[in-house]
Amino acid sequence: MNGDSAWQRLFAAGKRASARRIADLFAAEPLRDERFTIEALSMLFDFSKTTISEGDRALLLDLARACAVEARRDRMFAGAPINETENRPVIHWALRLPDGASLMLGGIDIADQILETRRRMAAFARALRSGEYRGEGAAAITDVVNIGIGGSDLGPAMATRALAPYHDGPRCHFVANLDPADITDTLAGLDPAHTLVIVASKSFTTMETLTNARVAHQWMAGAVKDPGRQFVAISAHPERAREFGIDPARVFDFPDGVGGRYSLWGPIGLSLMLAIGPGDFADFLAGGHAMDEHFRAAPLEENMPVALALAGIWHRQVMGYPTRAVLPYDQRLARLPAYLQQLEMESNGKGVTLAGAPLDLPSGPVVWGEPGTNCQHSFFQMIHQGTDIVPCEFMAAAEGFEEDLAPQHGLLLANVLAQSKALMLGRSLEEARAMLAREGLSPEEIERLAPHRSFPGNRPSTTLLYPRLTPRILGQIIALYEHRVFVEGTILGINSFDQWGVELGKELALALIPVLEGEAPAEGLDPSTRRLVGWLAARRGSTG
Ligand code: F6P
């Protein structure tokens, strides 16, 4: 295991922490509120409401050093092939480099290519948004349908929703699922003459995306003479997009060293750029780049992605909590938990180290969540009183965009602060008894109800605060989480940049297609799958 003795010291610290109350740490560490917050780039990250003591924090930082986080970070930013199982560099951060930057890899300036593609995207976006680029019969493009899945969907869908106050371009729609319901329902309200279709696929081989793209093409061909004119493709394999029949002038590419789930910053973000315009998109990139610079330059003790990652390591690998909840008190970040599910779980859901040995630590956690305050009225019961501990990652903006409703935003903030406070402090049995006595209940009723009305407390959470969800701040938040994943993956000694675990299901699906269609025998299947196939075969086509 990476950093063996540092881990052993941490496991011992974790045992001591199990018997400790967070509230007592504030008494023992008078500067805790200050020392367990990091302020950078106008954002504040607070990890004081955790069981991590000053001493534990030092051990976590020792672990990061023992696992050479800084050296690996520098290798990533130098373009070294740290994605060892695919023999590639990891260069999604290069997509947010500013104009004039350079990144030489194998004698080629990759930054030049990236910036040239960004210029082409911006020119296309300007032409479409100004009405210079039009659909059939000189119809203005009012709607854009992005067809892609995983990283080719979640990033642009999440960010487009997050930046709704900046929308002044076409409406954007997102189709991901192979379920024909998705494309059917999306196209149902649209006029082909006024629609642009973006086929987004890094590999340009993904079954879902190519199948939906063909359906969209047929839909377009049924109404316009030159359907191809209203198709754009985004891929790291532009030749495949051209073979698919998309005009090279409207194919935007990006390097293979950009993982799908990290690709929002380049052409995969075209739908976002069309919605908010190239200027605001540039601010989004500038935010991501600012977080890169912070991650590269800030000492480990003051480094926000490192602090977020070490809190993650503490909760998952040291304390053993299997999940963590992401709770943005920001409705426009409603898709952020889904986005982070892919980012974190596809990156760090690995059971084998870089050296090919079984990982003898728990892999990355289950990541889930919902925006607040909705979450308070669904699963928070379990978070407050259930028997499992779920570390919570709260986030909130100081201000919303609805200036006339500023007091309502204040209610939102009161709620997010109340939740983390309630999780930390809880309510003891004695406090519950006293509360029920004040309500005038009889002694028998008090004894009966007090256990139900008490809260164990001591439930950990972190809080990220930011001024307002601008493009720049969104860029900072996304890059913060990307680097968090990098630090956690480096400490675990795994490759955060491949995803072999998604392949087996894809292969088996291909093999099952002819069986389901009755063109191949079901005999070779396992008994359970064979039975399911049989049940489906008896009913398919009979429900109409
Ligand atoms: O199946 C997983 C995956 O490969 C993701 O990593 C990726 O984001 C998604 O599929 C879509 O892939 P592509 O962009 O190549 O269509």
Side-chain angles (χ1 to χ4, degrees):
M1 154 165 57
N2 244 359
D4 225 347
S5 55
W7 276 115
Q8 297 316 326
R9 285 195 292 276
L10 264 172
F11 293 144
K15 284 209 184 85
R16 290 192 294 275
S18 310
R20 160 195 305 154
R21 304 252 341 146
I22 301 170
D24 295 340
L25 282 175
F26 281 92
E29 298 171 350
L31 295 179
R32 184 172 175 82
D33 59 325
E34 190 188 315
R35 292 192 36 84
F36 279 72
T37 51
I38 291 182
E39 210 168 340
L41 307 174
S42 310
M43 306 200 299
L44 179 85
F45 175 62
D46 172 10
F47 56 114
S48 63
K49 291 188 180 87
T50 62
T51 52
I52 304 171
S53 69
E54 284 278 9
D56 302 333
R57 189 181 177 194
L59 293 178
L60 285 163
L61 288 163
D62 285 349
L63 175 70
R65 287 191 194 95
C67 296
V69 165
E70 285 158 297
R72 191 154 184 270
R73 172 197 66 191
D74 294 345
R75 292 187 70 224
M76 173 172 77
F77 283 107
I82 63 165
N83 175 354
E84 292 177 17
T85 55
E86 295 179 317
N87 198 23
R88 284 180 195 156
V90 170
I91 52 169
H92 52 274
W93 52 271
L95 295 177
R96 43 200 190 231
L97 282 172
D99 284 346
S102 157
L103 174 66
M104 295 303 293
L105 285 184
I108 296 169
D109 194 344
I110 297 281
D112 246 10
Q113 296 182 350
I114 288 171
L115 294 171
E116 174 51 24
T117 304
R118 196 188 297 164
R119 275 190 287 276
R120 285 182 56 227
M121 280 168 68
F124 179 73
R126 279 194 206 96
L128 187 144
R129 286 162 54 87
S130 68
E132 184 195 319
Y133 171 87
R134 287 174 173 268
E136 177 95 353
I141 299 291
T142 55
D143 293 87
V144 170
V145 177
N146 184 86
I147 299 179
I149 196 162
S152 300
D153 165 65
L154 289 164
M158 174 276 295
T160 302
R161 183 158 182 182
L163 297 178
Y166 294 85
H167 287 199
D168 53 7
R171 286 179 292 267
C172 291
H173 313 264
F174 295 88
V175 173
N177 205 328
L178 188 57
D179 183 342
D182 199 3
I183 185 108
T184 303
D185 292 354
T186 304
L187 298 183
L190 303 181
D191 178 344
H194 292 275
T195 302
L196 177 85
V197 175
I198 300 176
V199 186
S201 175
K202 179 182 170 186
S203 61
F204 231 80
T205 58
T206 304
M207 180 196 285
E208 289 88 339
T209 302
L210 299 187
T211 307
N212 280 325
R214 284 189 201 100
V215 173
H217 196 271
Q218 261 176 16
W219 169 78
M220 190 78 86
V224 307
K225 281 195 222 76
D226 183 6
R229 232 188 79 73
Q230 284 163 234
F231 267 71
V232 166
I234 298 161
S235 182
H237 296 273
E239 71 293 348
R240 295 182 192 157
R242 288 195 286 268
E243 277 160 29
F244 190 82
I246 297 180
D247 184 339
R250 285 188 302 282
V251 176
F252 299 94
D253 65 350
F254 59 98
D256 241 346
V258 174
R261 55 194 172 276
Y262 298 87
S263 61
L264 161 66
W265 314 91
I268 292 290
L270 180 63
S271 45
L272 174 66
M273 187 192 264
L274 291 170
I276 65 175
D280 286 333
F281 190 83
D283 285 349
F284 169 67
L285 298 187
H289 181 65
M291 185 53 76
D292 295 338
E293 298 287 280
H294 166 79
F295 180 49
R296 293 174 79 163
L300 290 187
E301 296 77 0
E302 295 157 33
N303 199 303
M304 203 180 273
V306 171
L308 184 60
L310 293 181
I313 293 281
W314 176 262
H315 289 138
R316 176 68 185 117
Q317 281 77 24
V318 179
M319 303 304 289
Y321 307 140
T323 84
R324 65 172 163 243
V326 180
L327 308 161
Y329 274 60
D330 195 323
Q331 177 61 23
R332 295 195 176 101
L333 287 178
R335 292 294 284 159
L336 184 69
Y339 173 81
L340 292 180
Q341 265 170 358
Q342 188 199 12
L343 181 69
E344 302 203 23
M345 293 166 75
E346 198 168 74
S347 297
N348 287 345
K350 314 275 162 70
V352 172
T353 67
L354 270 166
L359 182 68
D360 50 8
L361 290 159
S363 63
V366 175
V367 177
W368 58 289
E370 271 290 308
T373 56
N374 302 19
C375 56
Q376 293 176 201
H377 300 273
S378 55
F379 52 78
F380 260 51
Q381 164 62 43
M382 179 271 185
I383 298 223
H384 282 288
Q385 288 187 317
T387 53
D388 281 314
I389 293 186
V390 180
C392 292
E393 296 185 355
F394 292 102
M395 53 182 84
E399 287 185 310
F401 289 85
E402 298 69 26
E403 274 150 26
D404 50 332
L405 298 176
Q408 186 168 337
H409 191 83
L411 301 181
L412 182 71
L413 292 177
N415 272 275
V416 66
L417 297 181
Q419 290 302 326
S420 63
K421 185 173 155 77
L423 286 169
M424 172 173 70
L425 297 179
R427 177 190 283 147
S428 67
L429 209 51
E430 294 69 46
E431 287 167 332
R433 285 193 188 108
M435 179 194 76
L436 293 169
R438 281 196 301 278
E439 287 174 13
L441 269 69
S442 68
E444 296 73 33
E445 281 293 274
I446 290 173
E447 280 318 301
R448 192 173 71 81
L449 289 178
H452 299 278
R453 303 291 300 271
S454 66
F455 292 74
N458 214 32
R459 309 223 149 176
S461 69
T462 61
T463 303
L464 178 72
L465 299 177
Y466 45 90
R468 192 180 241 191
L469 194 60
T470 60
R472 194 181 171 93
I473 291 289
L474 180 69
Q476 291 180 188
I477 293 173
I478 303 305
L480 166 67
Y481 272 87
E482 285 180 355
H483 294 321
R484 176 263 188 105
V485 166
F486 172 87
V487 173
E488 290 191 11
T490 301
I491 289 176
L492 294 179
I494 57 175
N495 183 1
S496 302
F497 301 102
D498 62 12
Q499 57 283 319
W500 299 108
V502 302
E503 294 303 326
L504 179 59
K506 288 185 193 172
E507 284 165 29
L508 297 186
L510 285 179
L512 277 167
I513 296 169
V515 181
L516 274 162
E517 296 312 321
E519 293 157 6
E523 273 67 52
L525 298 176
D526 64 89
S528 165
T529 309
R530 193 171 58 229
R531 189 165 188 83
L532 298 176
V533 166
W535 194 93
L536 288 168
R539 279 151 191 87
R540 285 183 77 202
S542 67
T543 47

